[in-house]
Amino acid sequence: MHSTSSEPAHAPAPVTPLAASTEQALKIAVVGGFGVGKTTMVRSVSEIRPLNTEETMTRAGAGVDDLHGVEGKRTTTVAFDFGRITLDESSVLYLFGAPGQERFWFLWDRLFTGALGAVVLVDTRRLEDSFYAIDRLEAQGTPFVVAHNDFGETTHSLDEVRAALDLDPAIPLLHCDARERGSAKQVLIALVHHVRSLITKGAR
C-alpha cells in the first residue's frame, strides 16, 4: 500500500516561480508513522519538484525499523521532504514532510517550530505509530488535522479511527488518498480552515 514500488510514477513537476504578489508564506508539517505516505503526499500536491531526502533501505536498518505492514517499502526519508503549494495570489504553503522512523523523531520539534499547523497521516495497520505525533503536537499547542491514508481501500470508518486514536471531537479527521493531488489538497484546505476557526474562537 505504501511501498515505493506500488506507487504510480509522477511526472516531474514543472518549474513554477513564486508569484511576485506573494506576501505570506505559511509552514505546514506532515507527520506520522513509518511508511504512512508522507513523502507521497508532499510529492502529489507540490506545484514544484519536491525536495526529497529518501535513501534506499539497507540491512543496517534491520531490527531497528519496524516494517510490519509495510514489508515492501524500499526507501525511507532520512531528513525531510519539502514542497510548495499556492493558496491564492498572496499566500503559499511550504510543506515539510517529517521522517517516520522513531530514531528520527528528535527532528520533529524543529519542524513544528513556526508551523501554521500539521497534518498527521495515519495507517490503520499501524495506528500505534500515530500516538507520538499527536502527543507532541498537543504538547506544543500546534493545530493539526488527522488524515486516514487509505489509498482508496477504506476498511475502517472515521468513527472507528477516531475511537482507536482517542481523538478529541474538535480535531478534524478525514479520509484521503495521498497519491491523489485533489485528495491531498483537501486535507491541507481542512487544516487551514481548522486553524482559522481556532483563531476566530480565540479572538472572541
Side-chain angles (χ1 to χ4, degrees):
M1 173 164 116
H2 298 197
S3 68
T4 302
S5 59
S6 64
E7 293 168 3
H10 291 271
V15 177
T16 307
L18 194 62
S21 58
T22 299
E23 298 177 350
Q24 187 175 39
L26 307 171
K27 176 181 177 182
I28 286 180
V30 181
V31 298
F34 181 49
V36 79
K38 300 177 296 296
T39 296
T40 301
M41 171 172 274
V42 173
R43 181 185 297 141
S44 68
V45 80
S46 179
E47 64 193 19
I48 61 172
R49 185 190 297 274
L51 168 65
N52 298 129
T53 56
E54 282 196 302
E55 296 292 342
T56 301
M57 297 180 65
T58 66
R59 291 182 180 179
V64 178
D65 298 326
D66 179 10
L67 296 179
H68 172 68
V70 288
E71 291 83 0
K73 189 169 176 61
R74 295 291 177 266
T75 61
T76 184
T77 298
V78 296
F80 61 86
D81 304 310
F82 174 77
R84 188 189 82 202
I85 181 171
T86 299
L87 285 181
D88 52 40
E89 291 184 355
S90 62
S91 302
V92 297
L93 294 181
Y94 288 128
L95 310 176
F96 290 82
Q101 302 100 306
E102 185 174 353
R103 56 195 167 110
F104 293 129
W105 284 353
F106 71 92
L107 296 171
W108 288 14
D109 286 352
R110 293 198 175 190
L111 286 179
F112 296 160
T113 301
L116 172 75
V119 173
V120 179
L121 278 180
V122 302
D123 181 345
T124 52
R125 299 171 302 176
R126 299 163 59 98
L127 276 180
E128 65 278 4
D129 291 352
S130 307
F131 294 131
Y132 180 79
I134 292 172
D135 287 346
R136 291 307 307 150
L137 289 165
E138 289 179 339
Q140 292 212 352
T142 303
F144 66 95
V145 300
V146 177
H148 169 208
N149 187 12
D150 56 38
F151 279 20
E153 300 176 359
T154 302
T155 57
H156 297 84
S157 70
L158 290 181
D159 287 340
E160 290 173 330
V161 175
R162 184 178 292 277
L165 292 174
D166 193 23
L167 197 63
D168 189 298
I171 304 298
L173 170 65
L174 55 161
H175 284 302
C176 82
D177 182 338
R179 300 168 299 181
E180 298 294 333
R181 176 178 173 82
S183 183
K185 189 173 181 179
Q186 286 304 311
V187 174
L188 299 178
I189 291 173
L191 174 60
V192 172
H193 283 268
H194 179 52
V195 172
R196 285 176 176 171
S197 70
L198 292 177
I199 292 174
T200 300
K201 290 178 182 178
R204 290 176 180 174

